[in-house]
Amino acid sequence: MYKAPRGTSDILPQEQNYWKYVKEKAVLVCHLYGYQPLTTPIFEDSRLFSRTVSGGTDLADKEMYIFEDRSGQKLALRAEGTAPVCRAYLEHGLFNLPQPIKLYYIGAAFRYERPQAGRYRQHHQFGYEALGDVDPALDVEVIEMAQQFLLSLGLPKFSIQLNSIGCELCQPGYIKSLQQHYSNHIADLCPDCKTRLLKNPLRLLDCKKASCQKIAETAPKITNYLCPKCQEHFQNVQQGLKTLEIPFQLNHRLVRGLDYYTRTVFEIEPQEEGSQSALGGGGRYDNLVEQLGGKHTPAVGFATGIERLILNLKRQKMEIPPSCKSVAFIAYLGEGAKIEAMKLASRLRQAGIAVIKATGSKSLKGQLRQANSLGTNYTIIIGEKEVKNQTVVLRDMINNKQDSVSIDELVLSLKQNNPPRIISQIHSQPPDMI
Ligand code: AMP
């Protein structure tokens, strides 16, 4: 038997209402803050990720899905959303428009990780990016938007962790001090941190191993090393959050997993027991567009994992509005009735009424059992007598009543009680995640 590859999953129909719910809230918050949708390819030139995420991060080292196509071009499955957005920003000359450009995406990301609850090899991210403006007010807006999105989902229990990791001017001085501090404890470092010490020292602060965390506690704080401009930026971000009464906690050990961040970094931590993984994170990446060959373009963004949001919704036992069901089930008895049922189903669907028609030659009892399990509001029953009289038996499954009605009457009354829905009410926007 084939199974979905390890770390991936099927999203079954009964799960889809959660996805629809989350995507609708995402689209709504983007609309409120003036972000436009952008869909990028599911694979890119592998260098887009390896050069930007870069320097000794897990993602660049071992987590990317890289393959060669038939022409020998090295491609990578989308590992994260920000670098593709920047690539598209440059490729389509969006820097020529009034800045900042505000874009959002909802799509799959692929990372070869050890699968566990909330960590998969294929997951889906909702993220948004504001490119082309250095104003700290934009950092504040991006954080506020993340807060508002989570609140709109009905997930009020989270904390916003905030830090600044400086810029290319002040970071090197800090990294030197950090390396010095960790070098004094080298015997107690885990093997990964021994590598980090050389390849990506900032990530030392992020290690979850108890012995390394102890060393991190006494490590120098980056906020004491910020240059005047980074210091001012960080103060303004904090002031803006206070003005909007957005609670946050300063966390001098927060550095984020990807390598392109500068200045503001933030992460959203759930406060539920047993959920240690971040719900989302983001920050500034003022050098990324330049790294990809563009002009200096300050930018800031956020991304969250949809699977993790849904895990938290379920943990909090959030009631999610049910998916749209079919209005009626059509059952029949006998060959003549089967043809009438086919004609009636076609007529109702053309009138915009969603129906499910029985198939095959099940007993009426079997058909009614199926109608019950589908949970339709009505069951329409057609037998030989109904064929002759051009009527149907209309059973109201909610009020447990039934009536004989003419076919014309039936169409009219179902139409009146169940006005056709427009597609966007049934399916989420944007249409489907890719
Ligand atoms: P990142 O791109 O690493 O900043 O991740 C952004 C968000 O995506 C995280 O905060 C998680 O909510 C989610 N995420 C990242 N990696 C995974 C994964 N392997 N499985 C599920 N969700 C993930």
Side-chain angles (χ1 to χ4, degrees), residues 7 59 63 79-82 105 109-126 256-258 260-261 266-268 277-282 302-309 311:
L59 187 48
E63 289 180 358
E80 59 97 47
T82 305
Y105 56 85
F110 303 86
R111 297 177 187 180
Y112 189 82
E113 298 196 85
R114 197 166 61 78
Q116 51 191 291
R119 192 169 293 281
Y120 313 102
R121 290 186 176 168
Q122 177 181 339
H123 70 280
H124 297 81
Q125 291 195 359
F126 157 49
R256 306 276 301 124
L258 312 176
Y260 46 64
Y261 286 104
F266 71 100
E267 228 160 50
I268 309 227
S277 322
L279 275 175
F302 171 76
T304 174
I306 299 183
E307 284 84 354
R308 267 188 216 173
L309 293 172
L311 268 180

Side-chain angles (χ1 to χ4, degrees), residues 243-317:
T243 304
L244 295 180
E245 295 178 21
I246 299 170
F248 62 92
Q249 288 167 9
L250 292 179
N251 178 351
H252 72 95
R253 280 162 56 184
L254 179 67
V255 290
R256 306 276 301 124
L258 312 176
D259 220 30
Y260 46 64
Y261 286 104
T262 49
R263 291 192 171 169
T264 313
V265 286
F266 71 100
E267 228 160 50
I268 309 227
E269 297 287 341
Q271 283 173 343
E272 287 288 287
E273 244 179 85
S275 48
Q276 312 94 345
S277 322
L279 275 175
R284 260 200 179 270
Y285 46 94
D286 289 345
N287 302 327
L288 180 54
V289 173
E290 203 172 345
Q291 245 176 293
L292 295 175
K295 280 203 256 180
H296 181 67
T297 309
V300 56
F302 171 76
T304 174
I306 299 183
E307 284 84 354
R308 267 188 216 173
L309 293 172
I310 292 176
L311 268 180
N312 278 270
L313 288 172
K314 287 183 178 170
R315 223 172 250 150
Q316 292 193 16
K317 302 204 169 23

Side-chain angles (χ1 to χ4, degrees), residues 2-28:
Y2 290 108
K3 285 187 164 183
R6 193 163 134 75
T8 71
S9 35
D10 302 308
I11 307 167
L12 295 173
Q14 64 265 30
E15 287 286 303
Q16 295 284 349
N17 57 335
Y18 281 95
W19 287 79
K20 177 171 182 276
Y21 176 72
V22 172
K23 286 190 283 176
E24 277 174 357
K25 298 289 181 194
V27 171
L28 181 62

Side-chain angles (χ1 to χ4, degrees), residues 331-341 364 381-393 407:
Y332 53 81
L333 265 175
E335 277 310 304
K338 184 173 181 176
I339 292 166
E340 282 306 316
L364 184 61
I381 306 166
I382 310 176
E384 296 301 331
K385 189 174 120 205
E386 283 73 28
V387 176
K388 218 183 280 163
N389 302 340
Q390 283 295 289
T391 57
V392 299
V393 173
I407 288 183

